[in-house]
Amino acid sequence: MKILLVEGPLLDKIGEREPQIYGKNGTREKLLCAFYEKAKSLGVETETVSEYCEGELAKILANAKCDGIVINPGAYTHTSVLLRDALLCSKIPFVEVHLSNIFAREEFRRKSYLSDAAVGVVTGLGSATYSAALEGLVNKISTDKETDLG
Ligand code: DQA
């Protein structure tokens, strides 16, 4: 099984940007380490893409070749019909993730263009967010495969 981790803009700045919200120096390393460790323990292959440009992200998503996607769209979560369309075009199951709890912040962050099309949403678990999403997604894909066979 192959899972694509997709990060939108400013997620490479975790540890530097608004540390009171996203975590201090070292959080990004912890976040990615936990994700890759979880992938190893689940025996799944991963690829990671970090991209600022909305159009490029859409191209990557629409042409993705993998079994599942874990995506932190950053600010595009709250604005992008394009990313929603690209994910639907891919027909690949995805989990939307956020390090912060988007429901406990500004009103405008409560709206996501992706959530209702996602298999699930993981929001607010800090450095455990990506690994928790990966575990849930892999579990869901495996269960759905078994059901298809049965
Ligand atoms: C974020 C939440 C978004 O609202 C914000 O624009 C981000 C990061 C998170 O991981 O908590 O860039 O996706």
Side-chain angles (χ1 to χ4, degrees):
M1 190 186 298
K2 183 175 170 184
I3 304 292
L4 185 63
L5 171 64
V6 179
E7 290 189 310
L10 295 177
L11 292 158
D12 57 335
K13 300 289 184 198
I14 297 295
E16 294 171 44
R17 66 182 283 220
E18 300 177 270
Q20 72 285 7
I21 294 174
Y22 298 115
K24 55 183 187 335
N25 199 10
T27 302
R28 182 166 170 73
E29 289 69 21
K30 231 172 130 186
L31 176 73
L32 292 176
C33 239
F35 179 80
Y36 298 130
E37 282 295 314
K38 181 60 74 181
K40 205 170 149 197
S41 77
L42 294 168
V44 302
E45 188 191 336
T46 61
E47 188 186 332
T48 305
V49 181
S50 213
E51 173 62 56
Y52 273 54
C53 173
E54 188 179 13
E56 284 303 320
L57 280 167
K59 218 190 285 179
I60 289 161
L61 294 170
N63 297 311
K65 301 272 174 284
C66 58
D67 301 289
I69 297 172
V70 173
I71 180 165
N72 187 346
Y76 292 138
T77 308
H78 320 295
T79 61
S80 185
V81 175
L82 177 59
L83 292 193
R84 178 194 177 86
D85 287 351
L87 282 158
L88 291 176
C89 172
S90 79
K91 299 195 191 82
I92 298 169
F94 69 95
V95 174
E96 174 188 336
V97 295
H98 304 282
L99 274 74
S100 64
N101 179 354
I102 57 170
F103 299 104
R105 299 181 61 191
E106 303 95 325
E107 182 73 37
F108 66 83
R109 290 189 206 273
R110 293 191 193 157
K111 163 84 187 161
S112 164
Y113 279 88
L114 310 182
S115 298
D116 67 297
V119 164
V121 180
V122 178
T123 185
L125 299 187
S127 60
T129 301
Y130 292 1
S131 53
L134 178 66
E135 183 157 21
L137 180 59
V138 168
N139 205 354
K140 178 80 168 66
I141 293 168
S142 307
T143 311
D144 287 354
K145 261 191 199 149
E146 278 167 28
T147 316
D148 281 354
L149 289 175

